[in-house]
Amino acid sequence: MMHCNIQKPTYSRILPILLVCLSGNVYAAISDYCETTFVDGATAHGNGKIEIGNSPTIYNNPDGLLAASNEKEIERLNCDGFGACQISNTPTEPLNLGDFIESANDENDVDVDSSSVTIGGTSGPYKGNNFGTINVNNGGTLTFSGEYSQYLIKEINVLENGNNATLNLTPGDYYIEEIETYENTIINIVGSGDVRIFLRDHSDFEGNTRININGNVGQLLICPLYTSDSAD
């Protein structure tokens, strides 16, 4: 897990996907720390913890080692081509990107049923870039408009009956307080730019959630910003 020290995080858990260093220069701090912070598909700084749920796989990691000094059941994590991942006992440098930005419109809720819904932009029923709770049901497809480069969201919930839901993220920064996904959720990166997802609270990517699985790994940064909690 790429770990950003924005609100004094205590530990993070690995997601069941590949997370890699962001390419690009939107945040100068990212390029400054890239070589020392985002050296692997999963990293932690200080006493940060890489904790494994289920049996995820990291693809295209440079070796079978992950930069961290603390882990839990890491033998369940596979580094593709190297077998079970191991920790290097050498944590990475922390990265400071400033304060988390909260949504200013927590009543702007969105419900996505089995249809396709696009949010953001300057027209349509779901205008703007500040949202409250976004619920996605079974077979629903949620797409973020490319008219904004920043989205502020209270919650994204792929409901427990939301098998085969799809989230399409256009390039930009996504400040999400909490996200929960379930069985067979697909999260796509749409377009040629970079997507940065900043998470404030406990978030879960469960049930074979697939994120950017066929995309350019350099387009994606997921950064947990916890004060005392974690992401699964």
Side-chain angles (χ1 to χ4, degrees):
M1 173 72 69
M2 295 180 294
H3 196 251
C4 302
N5 187 18
I6 296 180
Q7 291 187 334
K8 299 180 181 178
T10 56
Y11 63 87
S12 67
R13 298 179 184 173
I14 185 69
L15 300 181
I17 53 172
L18 172 65
L19 304 180
V20 298
C21 180
L22 169 70
S23 61
N25 58 8
V26 174
Y27 287 110
I30 289 180
S31 60
D32 293 342
Y33 284 96
C34 195
E35 292 184 1
T36 56
T37 300
F38 305 141
V39 296
D40 296 315
T43 68
H45 70 82
N47 291 321
K49 180 187 296 183
I50 297 176
E51 186 167 344
I52 307 306
N54 298 320
S55 298
T57 296
I58 293 180
Y59 295 92
N60 300 324
N61 203 63
D63 53 32
L65 296 175
L66 303 179
S69 60
N70 198 356
E71 54 85 12
K72 182 178 180 182
E73 298 182 355
I74 200 171
E75 68 274 4
R76 298 167 60 185
L77 175 63
N78 179 55
C79 283
D80 188 57
F82 299 95
C85 299
Q86 306 291 324
I87 61 169
S88 66
N89 292 313
T90 303
T92 64
E93 296 288 333
L95 177 61
N96 192 333
L97 297 179
D99 295 329
F100 182 86
I101 306 174
E102 295 185 357
S103 173
N105 191 355
D106 58 4
E107 295 182 355
N108 189 14
D109 298 333
V110 180
D111 288 309
V112 182
D113 53 22
S114 59
S115 62
S116 296
V117 172
T118 298
I119 67 173
T122 56
S123 62
Y126 302 114
K127 296 183 292 185
N129 66 337
N130 277 245
F131 293 92
T133 298
I134 301 174
N135 292 320
V136 184
N137 285 278
N138 183 38
T141 297
L142 171 69
T143 299
F144 288 86
S145 168
E147 295 186 50
Y148 284 96
S149 61
Q150 182 185 82
Y151 283 94
L152 313 179
I153 303 163
K154 289 292 182 181
E155 297 179 51
I156 296 180
N157 298 313
V158 176
L159 302 181
E160 290 192 56
N161 66 345
N163 295 344
N164 303 310
T166 300
L167 310 181
N168 293 320
L169 307 182
T170 52
D173 300 329
Y174 294 77
Y175 288 86
I176 307 171
E177 294 184 24
E178 180 179 350
I179 185 169
E180 305 277 345
T181 68
Y182 289 94
E183 190 69 27
N184 295 323
T185 300
I186 297 174
I187 302 178
N188 296 316
I189 310 303
V190 179
S192 58
D194 300 322
V195 170
R196 293 158 294 273
I197 301 174
F198 302 96
L199 302 174
R200 193 193 70 177
D201 299 329
H202 178 102
S203 295
D204 293 308
F205 297 82
E206 298 182 355
N208 195 33
T209 293
R210 290 163 287 172
I211 301 180
N212 197 30
I213 194 66
N214 294 316
N216 180 346
V217 295
Q219 286 184 263
L220 177 63
L221 168 72
I222 296 182
C223 190
L225 316 173
Y226 313 114
T227 54
S228 61
D229 218 322
S230 63
D232 292 335

